[in-house]
Amino acid sequence: MTTPLTRTAAWQALSAHASSMGATQMKDLFAAQPERFQRFSRSAADILFDFSKNRINDKTLQLLLQLYEEADVAGAKNRMLAGEAINFTENRAVLHMALRAGGKRSYQFGGKEILPDVHQVLEQMARFVAAIHHGERRGFNGKKLTHFVNIGIGGSDLGPHMVCQALKPYAKEGCHVDFVSNVDSSHLVEILKNCRADETLFIVSSKTFTTQETMTNAHSARRWLVAALGSDAAVANHFVAVSTNAQGVAAFGIDTANMFEFWDWVGGRFSLWSAIGLPIALYLGMAQFRELLAGAEAMDEHFITTPAADNLPVILALLGIWYSAFFAARGYAILPYDQYLNRFSAYLQQAEMESNGKQTDYEGQTISDYPTAPIIWGEPGTNGQHAFYQMLHQGTQIIPIDFIATARSHNPLGDHHAILTANVLAQSEALMAGRSLSEAAEQLRQRGYSEDEISRLAPHRVMPGNRPSNTLFIPQLTPRTLGSLIALYEHKIFVQGVIWRINSFDQWGVELGKELAQVILPELQPGNANNPHDASTLGLIAYYRQLQR
Ligand code: F6P
């Protein structure tokens, strides 16, 4: 059976072309085309994007761009920009680009210009951040608030958490930030061990203000604070909320004067640019937060205005589709060679997999003839090299990779940064070039091995090569370049979702587990009756109950 995507002329041409490219070796392409790097690299918003180490030639790129045209991604982009409810299963617009729009472009929702609301909340954040930093707004006992603890999960945690880690060199002196997300009490308890109640500000971040994990953590944090400071009145000094749900915030006991608003047209995993970024602004200062927004806006402008053939997010998206559709790539590694980006792949797991890990197309049909989002994972280099790179080089499947490198370190120290950079460049070269059996044998011969040993050992040293990777090189990790990098991936996700014909902006797949957890929760108490469950679930509930006695 074919579906609208696989029926397109571009898809069919790509399918035939992939068979002919199957045997093509990238190292031969490099040998035949000395200007391959110039031909297959682009730059925008301070990001150099080298995609020359891919199994592509001019025809591949041309067909992928044809696919982009046939899928009418430009039309979908215009509908997104116009504030149409492209999140059609939740009847919501997708306007996170408005959150970082300085004013060059107008964004409307429901016939109303939305930038004034956006800028009003940014001003509210700026006033609040300044008041905290200058000590005009203090804790219940009059101490300065210097420890910020964000309580949120998913999009209300991963983005701000990743950004705060990434931009630690820009932190305001004397400020600390922590992120509590997991409902496992150990997460909160371990963080509270390092908090002094009179200096701690809790930011309860939840778009819905109903998420079980966040509400449970927020209530426990509140009890801890009231016990430590001896008064309920302390909550007003030490708790603020970020949400779209003013009623829920008030019901929790946070005065809505201490609430920062955002809107339904901001998806959770695209919300770090909204007031959900408050912990970022508190930790780094508002000026750096605005730089982050400016970096994202620069990438937005590039995405909106640049022809597809030179458009970084578009090319990145098309290459991902190329490998998943025609080379059975089911994984995708994000490998940043910058320690500060150590939560970048965790952040992208939600951004990509919650957005595009779907099987139902625009028409409500189950997608059966092409894969959607791959499994995203990664660790910062060089740690990953000593863990899972073995599989990237010699495993039986192709795993496309994005290497992310920075040209300048925030902590220059001897030759560390040169060693780091040599490693990232060496990895992409080794993956591309590989090592043949005769090369492996010759290397052993040079080292004095006997011919018997060579024939036994050389096959194990063969590196198949021809393994694709992109390199995203940025001068330095700054608020601006990080903003551009994140926005690059956001747009990549959008382009892929349109081509795969899925709604990238809902997340129905997380609902059933949440509902069943509500059913099981009371059943964990001894004496409570069980609802009908399968034998496995019943057995596990009984085991848990037994161990509570
Ligand atoms: O995991 C499901 C989800 O709805 C995410 O999309 C969202 O980012 C997260 O839960 C947290 O939701 P909220 O901000 O409403 O607490």
Side-chain angles (χ1 to χ4, degrees), residues 272-474:
L272 73 90
W273 323 99
S274 71
I276 289 288
L278 185 63
I280 305 172
L282 284 164
Y283 185 52
L284 309 177
M286 201 62 195
Q288 303 296 9
F289 185 64
R290 288 190 193 275
E291 275 289 292
L292 184 80
L293 301 184
E297 188 186 20
M299 184 54 72
D300 294 344
E301 285 305 311
H302 167 77
F303 176 58
I304 294 167
T305 59
T306 308
D310 294 320
N311 197 305
L312 269 59
V314 171
I315 299 169
L316 190 61
L318 291 171
L319 290 169
I321 291 175
W322 171 238
Y323 293 114
S324 65
F326 305 111
F327 294 85
R330 297 293 170 264
Y332 199 113
I334 305 290
L335 305 175
Y337 276 64
D338 189 306
Q339 186 60 27
Y340 287 117
L341 284 173
N342 67 354
R343 288 203 54 85
F344 195 66
S345 44
Y347 162 78
L348 278 187
Q349 279 177 335
Q350 187 202 22
E352 298 224 6
M353 293 160 80
E354 195 167 80
S355 298
N356 287 339
K358 292 172 187 161
Q359 57 159 7
T360 308
D361 74 6
Y362 289 155
E363 285 81 26
Q365 301 300 315
T366 302
I367 296 167
S368 56
D369 55 353
Y370 56 89
T372 56
I375 301 159
I376 301 289
W377 97 103
E379 279 291 320
T382 58
N383 291 358
Q385 289 177 205
H386 297 272
F388 53 81
Y389 278 38
Q390 163 64 40
M391 178 173 159
L392 302 182
H393 286 284
Q394 284 190 314
T396 51
Q397 53 179 301
I398 288 182
I399 298 170
I401 296 163
D402 288 351
F403 289 108
I404 302 170
T406 50
R408 288 192 299 272
S409 168
H410 279 290
N411 302 293
L413 180 66
D415 52 2
H416 282 247
H417 202 70
I419 293 173
L420 181 72
T421 307
N423 271 279
V424 63
L425 302 184
Q427 288 300 325
S428 71
E429 187 174 32
L431 284 157
M432 182 274 289
R435 183 166 56 202
S436 67
L437 184 62
S438 57
E439 285 166 344
E442 186 49 33
Q443 203 178 49
L444 291 171
R445 208 165 282 123
Q446 301 280 328
R447 291 183 191 164
Y449 283 78
S450 71
E451 285 306 313
D452 269 3
E453 284 171 315
I454 291 171
S455 62
R456 188 170 62 81
L457 295 176
H460 297 277
R461 295 179 175 231
V462 170
M463 315 274 283
N466 219 17
R467 305 237 156 164
S469 68
N470 298 310
T471 299
L472 297 160
F473 223 138
I474 52 184

Side-chain angles (χ1 to χ4, degrees), residues 153-156 206-209 211 214 268-269 350 354 507 510 514:
I153 197 164
S156 302
S206 174
K207 180 173 173 183
T208 54
F209 230 74
T211 303
T214 301
R269 51 194 174 272
Q350 187 202 22
E354 195 167 80
Q507 54 284 316
V510 300
K514 285 188 198 173

Side-chain angles (χ1 to χ4, degrees), residues 190-320:
E190 284 298 335
I191 285 172
L192 292 181
K193 281 181 190 168
N194 295 322
C195 291
R196 288 180 50 109
D198 50 4
E199 296 174 355
T200 302
L201 176 73
F202 291 98
I203 304 137
V204 186
S205 293
S206 174
K207 180 173 173 183
T208 54
F209 230 74
T210 56
T211 303
Q212 186 186 42
E213 295 92 328
T214 301
M215 291 302 108
T216 306
N217 279 323
H219 281 288
S220 297
R222 184 195 154 115
R223 274 192 294 276
W224 173 86
L225 182 97
V226 169
L229 298 183
S231 171
D232 263 329
V235 172
N237 298 67
H238 292 267
F239 274 81
V240 293
V242 181
S243 188
T244 57
N245 176 3
Q247 267 187 336
V249 170
F252 177 85
I254 296 177
D255 187 339
T256 46
N258 291 331
M259 169 180 157
F260 297 82
E261 188 195 6
F262 65 112
W263 307 272
D264 230 20
W265 42 261
V266 184
R269 51 194 174 272
F270 304 97
S271 64
L272 73 90
W273 323 99
S274 71
I276 289 288
L278 185 63
I280 305 172
L282 284 164
Y283 185 52
L284 309 177
M286 201 62 195
Q288 303 296 9
F289 185 64
R290 288 190 193 275
E291 275 289 292
L292 184 80
L293 301 184
E297 188 186 20
M299 184 54 72
D300 294 344
E301 285 305 311
H302 167 77
F303 176 58
I304 294 167
T305 59
T306 308
D310 294 320
N311 197 305
L312 269 59
V314 171
I315 299 169
L316 190 61
L318 291 171
L319 290 169

